[in-house]
Amino acid sequence: MKNELGENDLELLSACLDGVCEDPAALRARLNAEPELALRLRQLQAVRARLAAIPAPNPPADFAARVTRRAFARKLPVPGATFWMYALPAAVAVLLVVAVATHRPPKQEAAAPDPDAWRIALNAVAESPDAETMAEWIDEEPIQDETSPGDLVGTLADLSAGEAGGLEGADIGGPESSASLIDMMDQMNDVDAAVLAMRLKSGA
Amino acid sequence: MQEVDDWILAARARNGDQAAFTALVRRYERPIMHFCARMIGNASDAEDVAQECFLALHRSLGRIEPRAQFSTLLFGIARNLTLNHLRDGRRRGRHMSSPMEGLEKEPSTGDQPDRRAQAAEIGTVLIEAINGLAPEHREVLVLRELSQLDYEAIAQIVGCPIGTVRSRLARAREALRVRLTEQDMLP
């Protein structure tokens, strides 16, 4: 009997309890015809009466005074004009500090290695005297310890042994061979090429 | 003497009138304290939350506009604070204290100790039943039965349609009825 009522009936009785029943006449008719509904309404009224009898804690006598003291002890928000009087200079000061703290003098850029250095070096090789000219020089003035084109071949072969490969035995002895030398150096990595160029320069 | 409107007091308080703010607090301290106590379930925490509610009101005086009823606004603040308190309590694993702790003694029902004891027992069972309700059911029950607010105001405070208020209220009342019936405390 106690759990037969549906949600709608529960809401109907609850609304009736609060005096907001939409159709009081219809509800009265149902209450007369359905004793369970009438009992449920009496029980809900009893629940309400018992709720009203529950003791409630009252605030202490000085509650309002204490709250007021605490509320007004805090700084009140600064009104508009005064606020900007302080906020604007403060903001500028903060910006200045940040700017100074983050400022770094511009670095002088380190000279990047010239990727065409080895080409320049090879051009120098290409423009180097041919065998006949060198022979004349030898006649004129014997050169001791000078790097000859043959030595250059050996140097190139040493340098290229690891990565470039295929330079060993290549005919790069004369200026006319500089084009094929460029082709081969294209296969080398940049570092090896730069080293080679420097060695060529120092040997020239 | 006619009472000064709540919003007028609020406007004066906003301009620094401490007496106006005190008057506002005095006007609402009991209903807010009762609401907090019923929502939270213990009197000492309820006093802290009620105090925080009025402090929050003071902080927001510069922003609020007199569009709704002042009481609706204040109960809305109290409701949010009590829900936060309940959430924090659950996070910390804190349990509600004894239902009657910190409450005033049951109003005298004459010189019959048996009846007083019985009323106290019913009160304890009811408060336990209220504490056992889901927060969304508890708040509408407390706002209606103890704070005596109408459906429209409750709907504004909890932020849901009036129909939802009606159904939550019906379920909350039914839960209390079932609990008291189980304890043979109802006809």
Side-chain angles (χ1 to χ4, degrees):
Chain A
M1 178 182 92
K2 286 189 166 56
N3 294 316
E4 286 167 0
L5 298 183
E7 291 279 320
N8 288 343
D9 287 339
L10 288 178
E11 284 188 30
L12 180 69
L13 292 178
S14 180
C16 169
L17 214 60
D18 291 323
V20 290
C21 181
E22 285 170 2
D23 191 352
L27 177 64
R28 244 191 322 271
R30 278 193 69 190
L31 287 172
N32 288 332
E34 302 172 43
E36 311 86 44
L37 199 66
L39 173 64
R40 190 66 68 89
L41 182 60
R42 280 199 301 280
Q43 287 180 330
L44 288 175
Q45 285 168 334
V47 169
R48 165 172 270 194
R50 281 156 177 65
L51 276 172
I54 297 177
N58 283 323
D62 64 341
F63 181 84
R66 268 196 291 132
V67 172
T68 305
R69 264 200 307 277
R70 275 193 66 188
F72 284 86
R74 290 179 301 105
K75 269 189 176 177
L76 289 172
V78 185
T82 319
F83 173 80
W84 287 111
M85 245 172 62
Y86 291 101
L88 209 57
V92 171
V94 167
L95 283 175
L96 278 173
V97 168
V98 169
V100 168
T102 56
H103 176 72
R104 284 192 180 84
K107 281 184 191 167
Q108 283 190 340
E109 286 190 12
D114 184 0
D116 291 331
W118 64 272
R119 288 184 188 278
I120 294 165
L122 285 176
N123 285 338
V125 171
E127 288 163 9
S128 66
D130 57 18
E132 285 180 17
T133 314
M134 287 184 77
E136 286 171 14
W137 290 352
I138 291 166
D139 287 340
E140 287 172 5
E141 186 181 303
I143 301 169
Q144 300 290 322
D145 242 7
E146 189 85 11
T147 307
S148 68
D151 292 338
L152 181 60
V153 172
T155 308
L156 283 170
D158 290 345
L159 283 170
S160 62
E163 294 175 30
L167 283 180
E168 240 174 322
D171 181 15
I172 52 171
E176 64 278 4
S177 306
S178 60
S180 63
L181 179 61
I182 292 172
D183 289 341
M184 280 182 281
M185 290 191 71
D186 276 336
Q187 299 170 32
M188 300 169 68
N189 66 38
D190 291 344
V191 176
D192 286 342
V195 170
L196 170 61
M198 290 180 71
R199 291 187 69 168
L200 286 172
K201 268 186 183 174
S202 65
Chain B
M1 191 181 93
Q2 194 171 357
E3 261 191 354
V4 182
D5 183 76
D6 291 338
W7 286 112
I8 292 175
L9 286 177
R12 288 181 190 164
R14 183 173 52 217
N15 292 329
D17 185 341
Q18 295 193 23
F21 186 71
T22 306
L24 262 183
V25 176
R26 289 228 171 88
R27 196 172 281 183
Y28 285 101
E29 60 185 0
R30 286 172 70 97
I32 291 295
M33 180 80 178
H34 292 177
F35 172 76
C36 293
R38 284 291 158 267
M39 283 296 289
I40 290 169
N42 94 53
S44 64
D45 282 2
E47 188 182 325
D48 291 342
V49 174
Q51 191 168 137
E52 191 50 48
C53 172
F54 287 107
L55 292 176
L57 168 72
H58 182 260
R59 280 195 296 272
S60 60
L61 279 176
R63 299 191 302 270
I64 54 177
E65 288 178 21
R67 278 183 289 196
Q69 279 209 345
F70 185 83
S71 60
T72 307
L73 169 90
L74 194 56
F75 274 105
I77 296 173
R79 180 237 181 198
N80 289 340
L81 289 172
T82 53
L83 290 181
N84 288 346
H85 184 89
L86 290 173
R87 235 185 336 259
D88 291 348
R90 271 201 300 275
R91 252 202 314 267
R92 291 194 296 264
R94 199 169 60 185
H95 299 289
M96 288 177 173
S97 58
S98 165
M100 301 296 273
E101 181 189 301
L103 301 185
E104 287 180 341
K105 290 199 167 164
E106 180 76 8
S108 174
T109 51
D111 292 320
Q112 299 164 303
D114 287 352
R115 283 193 64 185
R116 278 210 299 273
Q118 190 190 17
E121 193 184 349
I122 291 173
T124 302
V125 170
L126 264 179
I127 292 172
E128 280 175 352
I130 293 171
N131 292 347
L133 293 173
E136 65 268 23
H137 289 164
R138 195 188 315 173
E139 63 187 3
V140 293
L141 181 86
V142 172
L143 287 169
R144 176 69 201 129
E145 293 290 1
L146 301 161
S147 306
Q148 307 287 314
L149 298 181
D150 60 28
Y151 286 12
E152 195 180 338
I154 297 172
Q156 279 179 19
I157 290 166
V158 303
C160 69
I162 288 180
T164 308
V165 171
R166 284 170 75 121
S167 61
R168 285 180 184 173
L169 191 54
R171 282 183 202 166
R173 283 170 168 157
E174 176 64 6
L176 298 192
R177 187 198 68 79
V178 168
R179 186 69 181 271
L180 289 183
T181 307
E182 286 168 355
Q183 305 281 330
D184 287 329
M185 289 175 170
L186 285 180

